[in-house]
Amino acid sequence: MSGASADGGGGDGAGGTPRPLRALLVEWVFAKQVPAGVGFLRALGTALFVVLLTQAVTGMLLALCYVPSPDHAYNSVRFIDHEVKSTLGGHEIAVGRLVRGLHHWGAGAVIVLAFLHLLRTFFTGAYKRPRALLWVLGVALFGVLLGFGFTGYLLPWDMKAFWATDVGMTIVATVPEVGPALADLLRGGPELGAPTLTRMFALHVLILPALLIPLAGLHLLLVHRLGITPPGARVGAPEVKGAPFFPDHVVRELLVAAAALGVVGFLAWKLGAPLEAPASRELGEYEPRPEWYFLGLFQLLKLEWFQGDRVWYATALLPGAVGALLLLLPWLDRGKERSASQRPIATTLGVLAVAGVVGMTAWGFWETKDDPKRPPPPYVPVGDLAYVPPSSPPFAPPTDATAGGGTPAVPADPASARAEALLAESGCVDCHTLRGEGDSSGAGGPELRGLADGHDAAWYAAFLLNPKQFKPDIDMPSAADLELADADRFAIAEWLAANARK
Amino acid sequence: MATLLGGAIAGGLGLLGALFAKATSRWPARHAARFTALCRLDALQDGAPLETSFSFDRVEGWYRERVKRLVYVMKDAQGAPVVLSRSCTHLGCPVRWKPKTTTFDCACHGGKFDAEGAPIAGPPKSPLRRLNARIAGEMVEVEET
């Protein structure tokens, strides 16, 4: 700050007392200079920063409603999509759907902008002395951003989330020596489940931000201290500044940021964020696919040469080598030239690498574009009492009712025996079946063991009292119609809950 | 121009946050009054409030909660059912009917209410809350609230 005061930047107030905030603004914005000839390509970093800030805001809003637990995650996401609505100027706005859409498409924009920012820095030779550390921080930040993408992907807990993460964890496990242990650490066990969801959530909202903020802060501080690389200047040549940062370059930066946010906002408004059926281990026809920015790597694994014992070449060796090359780039390329046309080897290698990444990703898109999706079930408003609470977690073993056969004819414990006697006496089995027998009326009521909606006893007790209140179209007598005493109703409810599919 | 662009982005994010906060601050879900059976009408005796409770499902956003309410039920002079919340209007401890003094006493801070639920001693300044109740056939029904 003393620097700003020394060069007369207005760091002193009228009474001679220092005004540190004003000095900071003058130093960082108003008195700042950039090299002449700096254009829109030098604005990608700021656009990335603004989109990341937007991700932080939308992420905080989503966290107000999201529950990182398999029994509520999917429903809390659907709640955000369908029920978080607000009115503005007489129009109803699905603000939850919009915010989730912004976060989803914003995540894609972050990867695209980070990739373009990295390419710009590479092809303009801006990673060279004295900006080696700035480059290394940038490469590390790119890794953190990919981490955000991978960890955020599981959170909606739909089919795509579950299986993309499952495949991702399997890829982690193929890394020699440390892979299996690392995969177990990330998953919180040998299989993807509830602990994986809390881990990915903690990484996404606490641990990765704790890495991102200091790394990005240092990156920005160094950008400010070292300034923008003058276009085409050789390493060691004096770096001349001659153009104002404010407002000229700030406008360029904000225009690129606004354009990126405009595209993200349009996609969010039009498409929202995708959501498939709730996560389930029953794969069926479903094809697990990663998010698009991992499609290139995914496609690599389809090549026969990378299969069997050589799988880790693609999962560990190649990504590791690319990461190491990028980190060490300022020391591997010590040439004085910055201009791409004066660096034929680096430029050629760079173009080949970009073509490889883009080509593999495009190929992956092409091969997966017609894959079957599993659409979500019809939405029932939560405010409606017909609402069926969260789908069961995908890893419960099937109950004996769903597995079929081999079940004991009479339950061993007295409470169950009493409840089953009540089902017969009260007339339940005139319309329902119990172990496949009953329904003499032919009403077709569901089998009472293993009811698919999986509620707790309190819910069933309330339901039996007046079924029409919960399901308006149901043709089922109330507890009063059946002359069912409260104690008997509770006994049946306990039994239904204990035998429902979890 | 720079201020305009920066202001537009910051303003947009602020508006988004305000709309989201507004949209997520109206739970539990509001709906038309729903009544649930509380007790039989002939269970109410003169001069002796019936201690009971009722439960109902309440939806809060993505979560359905079974809410339980502790109440006293009695008849007023016209024979209409009166349902008083047991929640003391001081700090919410449950009050208990004392037949000897014919008062509702709160054990936490010594609050006392008369048989109508009006405060007569101790810290509470407002009467016990009355829940909407009605007669449906032989039953007393109370509003789920």
Side-chain angles (χ1 to χ4, degrees):
Chain A
M1 307 329 97
S2 58
S5 302
D7 54 46
D12 292 340
T17 47
R19 294 167 69 177
L21 187 65
R22 188 171 163 197
L24 202 65
L25 271 176
V26 167
E27 186 200 337
W28 277 71
V29 181
F30 297 114
K32 193 175 160 122
Q33 296 262 304
V34 293
V38 162
F40 280 96
L41 283 178
R42 305 299 200 288
L44 287 166
T46 306
L48 174 57
F49 179 69
V50 172
V51 175
L52 277 173
L53 281 183
T54 308
Q55 289 298 97
V57 171
T58 51
M60 287 173 197
L61 293 175
L62 291 173
L64 294 177
C65 291
Y66 175 75
V67 186
S69 173
D71 52 358
H72 282 109
Y74 184 79
N75 264 60
S76 64
V77 169
R78 278 201 116 183
F79 161 78
I80 291 168
D81 272 356
H82 289 270
E83 309 231 6
V84 178
K85 291 179 176 165
S86 204
T87 47
L88 183 68
H91 296 278
E92 190 181 62
I93 295 176
V95 61
R97 178 179 175 274
L98 179 64
V99 165
R100 204 169 82 80
L102 285 172
H103 202 71
H104 172 84
W105 296 104
V110 163
I111 301 294
V112 170
L113 287 170
F115 187 62
L116 292 177
H117 183 48
L118 183 135
L119 291 187
R120 197 279 297 161
T121 311
F122 177 81
F123 286 113
T124 58
Y127 54 86
K128 297 190 176 198
R129 209 156 49 81
R131 295 180 182 81
L133 181 58
L134 191 50
W135 167 265
V136 168
L137 285 168
V139 174
L141 279 164
F142 198 94
V144 171
L145 295 180
L146 285 176
F148 269 105
F150 184 71
T151 53
Y153 211 69
L154 180 65
L155 305 184
W157 202 250
D158 65 349
M159 283 300 276
K160 187 157 190 188
F162 187 89
W163 288 102
T165 310
D166 195 58
V167 171
M169 293 295 180
T170 314
I171 286 177
V172 171
T174 62
V175 176
E177 305 298 330
V178 296
L182 186 61
D184 281 1
L185 183 72
L186 284 170
R187 276 190 300 239
E191 268 195 291
L192 206 142
T196 324
L197 187 54
T198 47
R199 272 160 203 251
M200 292 298 113
F201 180 71
L203 279 164
H204 193 76
V205 306
L206 294 169
I207 299 165
L208 288 173
L211 285 173
L212 179 75
I213 291 166
L215 286 173
L218 200 54
H219 191 78
L220 286 175
L221 187 71
L222 286 178
V223 169
H224 172 68
R225 281 288 140 90
L226 298 167
I228 296 176
T229 317
R234 280 171 59 87
V235 173
E239 298 190 355
V240 187
K241 292 177 179 174
F245 171 70
F246 185 89
D248 304 34
H249 192 59
V250 175
V251 168
R252 278 191 288 269
E253 291 178 319
L254 289 176
L255 276 176
V256 177
L261 286 181
V263 173
V264 167
F266 177 79
L267 290 169
W269 186 265
K270 280 282 164 204
L271 303 174
L275 190 69
E276 294 191 5
S280 166
R281 283 205 186 284
E282 287 165 35
L283 200 53
E285 296 289 301
Y286 194 82
E287 300 275 353
R289 292 286 177 257
E291 179 57 338
W292 65 264
Y293 39 84
F294 290 117
L295 265 181
L297 178 61
F298 176 80
Q299 205 61 22
L300 210 56
L301 297 178
K302 286 191 181 171
L303 300 179
E304 205 169 323
W305 196 80
F306 282 117
Q307 286 167 7
D309 287 345
R310 281 195 291 258
V311 67
W312 70 277
Y313 289 8
T315 59
L317 192 64
L318 190 67
V322 169
L325 270 177
L326 286 174
L327 281 173
L328 296 174
L329 184 65
W331 295 277
L332 294 172
D333 173 16
R334 291 169 161 279
K336 299 273 185 212
E337 292 295 341
R338 282 218 174 88
S339 167
S341 57
Q342 305 295 317
R343 298 186 296 136
I345 298 173
T347 304
T348 309
L349 287 176
V351 168
L352 285 176
V354 172
V357 171
V358 173
M360 290 304 284
T361 306
W363 186 25
F365 261 111
W366 181 254
E367 285 225 329
T368 58
K369 68 181 169 50
D370 296 327
D371 282 353
K373 303 275 190 294
R374 196 174 287 185
Y379 184 71
V380 181
V382 186
D384 184 341
L385 279 180
Y387 164 69
V388 177
S391 69
S392 40
F395 23 77
T399 60
D400 52 11
T402 54
T407 56
V410 179
D413 67 300
S416 289
R418 173 169 174 249
E420 294 201 10
L422 282 168
L423 293 175
E425 289 164 17
S426 315
C428 305
V429 296
D430 293 345
C431 297
H432 292 272
T433 57
L434 177 60
R435 296 198 180 80
E437 289 177 27
D439 192 17
S440 53
S441 70
E447 163 69 36
L448 292 167
R449 283 172 66 88
L451 286 174
D453 41 7
H455 297 289
D456 63 6
W459 190 93
Y460 284 116
F463 177 81
L464 291 172
L465 195 60
N466 187 4
K468 282 197 168 53
Q469 188 183 12
F470 290 78
K471 298 179 181 172
D473 298 332
I474 202 166
D475 189 16
M476 176 171 158
S478 67
D481 296 336
L482 293 169
E483 296 178 341
L484 191 61
D486 278 353
D488 295 344
R489 179 163 58 90
F490 290 129
I492 291 174
E494 293 282 355
W495 182 91
L496 288 173
N499 287 279
R501 236 181 281 177
K502 291 292 181 291
Chain B
M1 181 72 174
T3 321
L4 199 72
L5 280 169
I9 293 170
L13 287 179
L15 180 66
L16 200 65
L19 287 174
F20 196 94
K22 190 177 153 213
T24 52
S25 305
R26 52 187 172 93
W27 313 104
R30 302 206 179 106
H31 48 69
R34 273 199 289 263
F35 283 79
T36 187
L38 183 61
C39 65
R40 292 183 66 86
L41 191 56
D42 56 20
L44 301 182
Q45 296 167 0
D46 289 328
L50 176 71
E51 181 187 320
T52 183
S53 68
F54 66 98
S55 301
F56 60 95
D57 277 332
R58 185 172 76 178
V59 172
E60 289 176 302
W62 58 90
Y63 188 70
R64 192 209 296 279
E65 186 185 16
R66 189 97 187 133
V67 182
K68 188 174 184 182
R69 300 285 188 223
L70 305 179
V71 292
Y72 276 105
V73 198
M74 51 210 184
K75 283 188 288 194
D76 66 10
Q78 286 75 44
V82 172
V83 180
L84 289 181
S85 165
R86 285 188 60 193
S87 181
C88 177
T89 54
H90 176 222
L91 292 173
C93 295
V95 298
R96 187 169 292 282
W97 173 251
K98 300 288 175 186
K100 280 184 185 171
T101 55
T102 65
T103 55
F104 294 102
D105 292 5
C106 179
C108 288
H109 305 94
K112 284 183 194 299
F113 303 83
D114 70 13
E116 306 273 289
I120 49 173
K125 294 289 173 256
S126 47
L128 292 172
R129 191 160 78 99
R130 287 187 179 217
L131 281 70
N132 284 335
R134 67 184 186 194
I135 296 173
E138 298 179 335
M139 302 293 288
V140 175
E141 291 189 334
V142 64
E143 187 183 347
E144 297 177 351
T145 182

